[in-house]
Structure formats: structure tokens, C-alpha cells
Amino acid sequence: MTAHHFIFRQNTATQQDVLQHFTQCDREFFTQLQQRVDIGSYIEKILSAAERFEIWDGAELKGLLAAYCNCEQRQNVFITNLSVTLDSQRKGLASQLLRRCILHAEKEAYVGIQLQVNVTNNAAYQCYIRHGFRETHISEHDRTMYLSLGVSIV
């Protein structure tokens, strides 16, 4: 599988696509997700309220970034999920999804992007750092990170 086979889409995945994607991600990710949320409800919330940036290989959803962009004051986007299936990792797909989300937030004139990443997920943490995110808070389980987009609040 090479990068030129991947197709980028926005907001096309179904509930079944997202569930299958989550289960194809590594076991640790899925276990942690199940411990924090009811998977069915979480997927419904993503489908109804999040902007979804997707990477497909044929009929398979390989990468998903879900971000809540529904703040009326257009202050901050909140990334609730960034995941890439195990077989598609280390190909730059997470970075491509993140860049698409950042461009969307800039185009829509949001002030910044916020997210939380598990303290044990160093690969994701380093990816966010490379894209300009800075750590704003750390707890026992998560790091809160923020990217300022340089848009002033009116």
C-alpha cells in the first residue's frame, strides 16, 4: 500500500465505518477508549457534532480526525479523536489529517485548536509538537495541548 492509494474525504464515514476503524486501531487505543466512553454514544456524537477528516484506502477508513468546530464565537476547535489503523501508521497520515484540520480551522477563523493526549502516547505528543501545539496542562493521565492560530477575537 503506497500513499498515492489513499483518498481524503470529509464527513462521509458511517457509524459502521467508524466502529470498524476504531476496532482496527491498536488494541491499547481501543481498550483505553472503551474505558473512557460508551463507544456507540461516542460515535453518534462524532457523527452528529464533529467535523470529520478521513483517509480511505478503497472502502476502508484508515485515518480519522474528529474535531468539534461548533463554538458560536469561533474561539477554539477541540480535537476529540485522531487515530490511524495499525497497518497504516508511520506513513504520515496523522500529520496529513492534522494539517487538514488546521487549514479548516484557519479558513473558518477560529482562534485556536485544543486537544488532550494520553501522557503515555509519546508518538502522538511529538506529532502535535511538530505541528506547533504547546502543552498547557498535564494531569496524571492526559496532557492538554493548544495551537494558537493567530486570529484575534472580535
Side-chain angles (χ1 to χ4, degrees):
M1 183 168 32
T2 59
H4 69 275
H5 290 125
F6 294 115
I7 298 168
F8 295 89
R9 295 184 188 150
Q10 203 164 329
N11 302 321
T12 65
T14 66
Q15 187 166 1
Q16 185 59 37
D17 294 329
V18 176
L19 178 60
Q20 183 177 352
H21 170 75
F22 283 164
T23 58
Q24 288 180 340
C25 289
D26 73 68
R27 184 172 298 187
E28 184 177 322
F29 164 82
F30 192 65
T31 300
Q32 288 178 3
L33 189 59
Q34 284 181 307
Q35 291 171 351
R36 290 183 296 147
V37 299
D38 172 84
I39 297 293
S41 297
Y42 182 57
I43 291 171
E44 285 180 25
K45 185 176 179 185
I46 286 174
L47 293 176
S48 68
E51 194 70 28
R52 297 176 321 277
F53 303 89
E54 307 159 355
I55 297 179
W56 294 81
D57 182 16
E60 289 185 59
L61 181 61
K62 295 296 186 175
L64 175 67
L65 186 152
Y68 299 121
C69 306
N70 49 7
C71 171
E72 287 182 22
Q73 295 81 21
R74 295 201 184 273
Q75 290 210 356
N76 292 317
V77 168
F78 182 80
I79 295 176
T80 185
N81 178 78
L82 175 54
S83 52
V84 175
T85 58
L86 199 55
D87 66 336
S88 297
Q89 291 178 3
R90 301 260 182 237
K91 297 178 185 203
L93 299 183
S95 286
Q96 290 182 48
L97 288 168
L98 202 48
R99 278 194 297 275
R100 287 172 186 272
C101 180
I102 292 167
L103 288 172
H104 175 80
E106 288 174 334
K107 178 182 167 202
E108 296 296 320
Y110 281 88
V111 175
I113 302 174
Q114 186 176 7
L115 58 86
Q116 289 184 320
V117 61
N118 188 287
V119 294
T120 63
N121 193 341
N122 195 51
Y125 176 75
Q126 292 302 321
C127 178
Y128 296 131
I129 291 290
R130 281 192 305 274
H131 287 276
F133 284 80
R134 296 294 170 247
E135 188 176 296
T136 59
H137 182 263
I138 188 166
S139 70
E140 182 181 348
H141 300 288
D142 294 306
R143 299 173 193 266
T144 301
M145 301 186 77
Y146 186 76
L147 174 66
S148 176
L149 298 176
V151 179
S152 59
I153 301 173
V154 178

